[in-house]
Amino acid sequence: MSDFDRLAALLFPDVTETPEELLETRFPPRPLPEGAQVTRFAPSPTGFLHLGGVFGALVDERTAHLSKGVCILRIEDTDKKREIENGVPLIVEGLSAFGIRFDEGPLAACAETGAYGPYIQSRRAPLYHVFAKELVRRGSAYPCFCTEEEIAALRAAQEAQGVTPGYWGDYARCRTLAPETVEENLRAGKPWVLRLRSPGKPGERVKFRDVVRGEIEMEANFVDVVLLKSDGIPTYHFAHVVDDTLMRVTQVVRGEEWIASAPIHLQLFWLLGLKPPKYCHTPTIMKEENGSKRKLSKRKDPEAAAGYFSDAGYPADAVVEYLLSVANSLFEDWRRQNPQAPWQAFPFRLNKLSSSGALFDLDKLNSVSGEVVARMSAAQVRDGATAWAEKHDGALFAALAADPSYAEKLFAIDRGGKKPRKDIAKWSDVRAYAEYFYDALWQTREEEELAPGLQKQILDAYLQVFDCADDKDTWFGKIRALCAPLGFSPDVRAYKAAPEQFKGHVGDVSAVIRVALTGRKNTPDLHAIMALLGQARCTARIRDYLRTLEN
Ligand code: GLU
């Protein structure tokens, strides 16, 4: 038995399997069609779903499902301090609200789905130890007994000398401990961490291909990073290598902040004789503030939280479409050409992902969301608005839920057609849009500029003739007929040719009627609005308005 074998047996007496055996027996290649990709979303269960997390999960989900592959949810809970109760179901539910679903992982309350688990890192200790033992056997990892104080002192000394700080090269004291000393320390119960014995030297370079960014060349790793902490729990670096190997992940989609540690990961794969996955480092979602860009921050920016968007009333599909348009410049063209297709039909391609920092842009989100809502049916708008109002606007909910068929009709006005209106970008816009359809909600009124006397004449005359049962032509014919006797032109062009001859034109007359009935200068089709309000309510509103003119 070599010294390394003896050390491996000493450190991991319970481990009987080898990585090779695991990969042959419990984690064999997946029976998937050619070209199918396996991805994973790997959040920590902190209870906070960041918009960047939704973005990453969406990229994972699209990549896997469009290739007929598998999308895994893996929970990275090695940092117990950051964990909260219910963190996992919050992630699963939070993402499923955006239509992002996984095939494997801790998807149900107490059960895991899939044959490549466990999917929660804290349940995987024995698997990490199999790979750790293998590294020790190969002479590529060793136990380090240095205390935190010793490490801090080393760092201070290195800083004073102006050398790269860290546990590396000749500074890595425990690299060369005599086997007897190691044995003695272990027997004495001294705590240890497992460190990589890095084969790298300062100044060496490494190259790898990133699916999004192309070839990346950077300094190779030469630091003996920690692989297992003193409680036997792996660091991110080691867990990534073991988990993505055993889960047969083909594409590692992760934030660009991980590029810096990719050389460590590549070294680990190489030392273990394993093939690394393809890396796809996604851009960080940034925010522009006072002319400079910074990361969208959980602490400072409410819109960093995925939940912000459902609270504000953005339909989940709108947030997804916005993220797809950020991710991929081809999305918007595709959307224009396929206005009715679900976003799932977009041929998303990882290698077309934009690699520059994505800027979060609320105006853009509003515009995308306005388009999404404009494409919905009236019943979908009603249902979305009602569900949102139930949680966020009791009075609006009461109004919409009291008569769903009336609500559907009001949202149907001017819906569809070539140039649909985009008044509603989010459900919180619905109250302002729909309030005048409900006496109990109606609060805001815009002012009509025409002189009150003239307005009164118009409305008095209109009250004599209007009938909610009129079809649109008759209705407008009546409004035109009011014009001449009141000194208005029934024809806009005639008015423009000689404005001095008129008090205004037919548009001004109907504007007065519109303001009296809705309190708005701009509404969807007034004829349809009046038909929905009904004869009695229209008459009452015009009379009420006339009273306000008298005061
Ligand atoms: N838990 C890591 C993170 O949240 C996962 C990174 C990865 O996907 O590998 O950043």
Side-chain angles (χ1 to χ4, degrees):
M1 217 192 227
S2 75
D3 278 354
F4 291 143
D5 283 332
R6 215 178 355 260
L7 179 58
L10 210 56
L11 293 175
F12 301 100
D14 300 333
V15 173
T16 54
E17 288 168 291
T18 64
E20 229 173 13
E21 284 162 1
L22 285 182
L23 286 163
E24 270 170 25
T25 55
R26 288 164 58 196
F27 305 95
R30 291 168 178 271
L32 289 172
E34 174 94 15
Q37 289 162 7
V38 181
T39 60
R40 84 295 187 280
F41 178 55
S44 301
T46 59
F48 184 85
L49 188 55
H50 194 285
L51 185 64
V54 180
F55 180 64
L58 179 65
V59 175
D60 282 316
E61 193 274 345
R62 289 292 75 205
T63 304
H65 290 153
L66 285 173
S67 67
K68 302 202 169 28
V70 175
C71 187
I72 302 169
L73 174 66
R74 178 168 82 221
I75 300 299
E76 308 219 322
D77 62 342
T78 54
D79 182 357
K80 287 291 174 191
K81 284 192 293 289
R82 295 172 57 215
E83 187 169 340
I84 66 146
E85 209 186 324
N86 273 333
V88 179
L90 280 174
I91 293 167
V92 174
E93 284 157 28
L95 291 170
S96 107
F98 291 102
I100 299 172
R101 73 178 172 79
F102 298 97
D103 307 293
E104 295 180 8
L107 307 183
C110 326
E112 293 198 336
T113 311
Y116 286 77
Y119 297 93
I120 298 185
Q121 284 183 334
S122 59
R123 298 184 189 160
R124 298 174 61 79
L127 297 172
Y128 301 121
H129 293 181
V130 170
F131 284 76
K133 186 169 189 175
E134 177 66 19
L135 277 173
V136 176
R137 276 199 330 98
R138 291 176 179 228
S140 297
Y142 62 90
C144 166
F145 300 91
C146 290
T147 61
E148 271 177 40
E149 293 72 32
E150 285 167 326
I151 299 283
L154 169 65
R155 176 170 284 267
Q158 287 170 323
E159 269 162 19
Q161 291 167 27
V163 295
T164 311
Y167 209 83
W168 62 272
D170 293 341
Y171 302 100
R173 271 194 355 221
C174 293
R175 241 188 198 211
T176 47
L177 283 186
E180 309 78 60
T181 318
V182 172
E183 221 162 304
E184 228 166 80
N185 284 347
L186 290 175
R187 227 175 295 121
K190 272 200 178 178
W192 54 276
V193 299
L194 190 72
R195 283 189 186 273
L196 166 71
R197 189 191 306 274
S198 174
K201 309 254 174 322
E204 283 174 0
R205 311 287 292 167
V206 62
K207 274 189 200 164
F208 67 100
R209 177 158 279 283
D210 183 281
V211 178
V212 183
R213 289 148 210 272
E215 189 168 275
I216 296 182
E217 188 190 320
M218 53 200 293
E219 184 164 37
N221 176 56
F222 57 86
V223 177
D224 289 2
V225 292
V226 174
L227 303 176
L228 291 179
K229 296 180 255 184
S230 56
D231 53 6
I233 296 293
T235 54
Y236 169 81
H237 308 308
F238 193 47
H240 151 54
V241 171
V242 174
D243 293 345
D244 288 323
T245 298
L246 290 181
M247 292 180 186
R248 301 281 181 178
V249 168
T250 60
Q251 255 78 6
V252 165
V253 176
R254 61 183 181 186
E256 63 187 340
E257 67 275 17
W258 293 109
I259 293 178
S261 27
I264 299 174
H265 309 149
L266 291 167
Q267 204 164 64
L268 276 166
F269 280 108
W270 182 73
L271 289 170
L272 282 161
L274 298 168
K275 187 169 169 257
K278 293 206 165 88
Y279 285 108
C280 163
H281 290 98
T282 54
T284 307
I285 301 193
M286 312 288 278
K287 174 163 177 149
E288 198 165 66
E289 200 175 57
N290 309 325
S292 63
K293 289 184 196 169
R294 62 170 173 76
K295 244 173 112 169
L296 197 59
S297 138
K298 171 176 167 178
R299 223 164 16 87
K300 292 191 221 149
D301 308 312
E303 69 272 31
Y308 165 85
F309 300 94
S310 55
D311 285 345
Y314 290 97
D317 280 348
V319 178
V320 170
E321 294 215 0
Y322 168 69
L323 291 175
L324 285 173
S325 71
V326 167
N328 195 317
S329 56
L330 301 176
F331 179 76
E332 285 176 83
D333 278 345
W334 173 85
R335 180 40 95 204
R336 266 189 289 278
Q337 283 151 22
N338 302 274
Q340 288 311 326
W343 57 258
Q344 286 85 347
F346 173 61
F348 179 86
R349 294 275 303 279
L350 253 187
N351 57 4
K352 293 275 187 299
L353 209 70
S354 125
S355 62
S356 52
L359 209 54
F360 179 77
D361 178 348
L362 201 60
D363 293 336
K364 173 90 187 168
L365 169 65
N366 281 323
S367 134
V368 170
S369 192
E371 309 262 353
V372 167
V373 177
R375 283 195 301 270
M376 290 181 178
S377 71
Q380 285 173 318
V381 175
R382 175 202 57 198
D383 294 347
T386 309
W388 176 84
E390 186 167 15
K391 286 201 202 128
H392 301 280
D393 185 343
L396 178 63
F397 174 70
L400 296 173
D403 188 347
S405 142
Y406 178 82
E408 181 176 350
K409 286 189 193 121
L410 83 86
F411 291 120
I413 297 174
D414 282 358
R415 186 152 290 278
K418 282 231 154 46
K419 279 201 148 192
R421 294 175 67 93
K422 301 199 184 104
D423 311 81
I424 303 171
K426 50 191 187 301
W427 307 132
S428 49
D429 298 336
V430 163
R431 180 187 262 259
Y433 177 78
E435 62 165 11
Y436 59 79
F437 288 96
Y438 296 97
D439 293 336
L441 294 182
W442 197 21
Q443 276 171 349
T444 53
R445 277 157 228 252
E446 287 171 65
E447 240 174 73
E448 168 58 48
E449 288 106 39
L450 211 62
L454 275 179
Q455 291 191 54
K456 190 171 169 331
Q457 284 177 27
I458 291 170
L459 293 172
D460 280 335
Y462 189 57
L463 271 181
Q464 306 303 311
V465 295
F466 104 93
D467 179 351
C468 264
D470 287 341
D471 64 24
K472 196 163 176 180
D473 286 343
T474 315
W475 167 80
F476 197 58
K478 284 181 176 176
I479 295 179
R480 260 171 199 264
L482 296 182
C483 290
L486 295 170
F488 288 77
S489 163
D491 180 70
V492 180
R493 244 179 304 153
Y495 169 80
K496 284 198 173 144
E500 66 291 343
Q501 293 177 20
F502 302 99
K503 293 177 185 154
H505 58 73
V506 63
D508 301 317
V509 172
S510 59
V512 172
I513 300 170
R514 191 187 304 274
V515 164
L517 288 168
T518 67
R520 301 281 193 284
K521 289 186 183 156
N522 179 354
T523 68
D525 180 24
L526 185 59
H527 173 256
I529 293 172
M530 291 175 67
L532 194 56
L533 289 173
Q535 184 79 16
R537 213 146 31 133
C538 288
T539 311
R541 285 188 178 188
I542 293 175
R543 293 221 166 98
D544 286 348
Y545 185 75
L546 280 168
R547 269 192 292 280
T548 66
L549 292 177
E550 279 155 18
N551 298 328

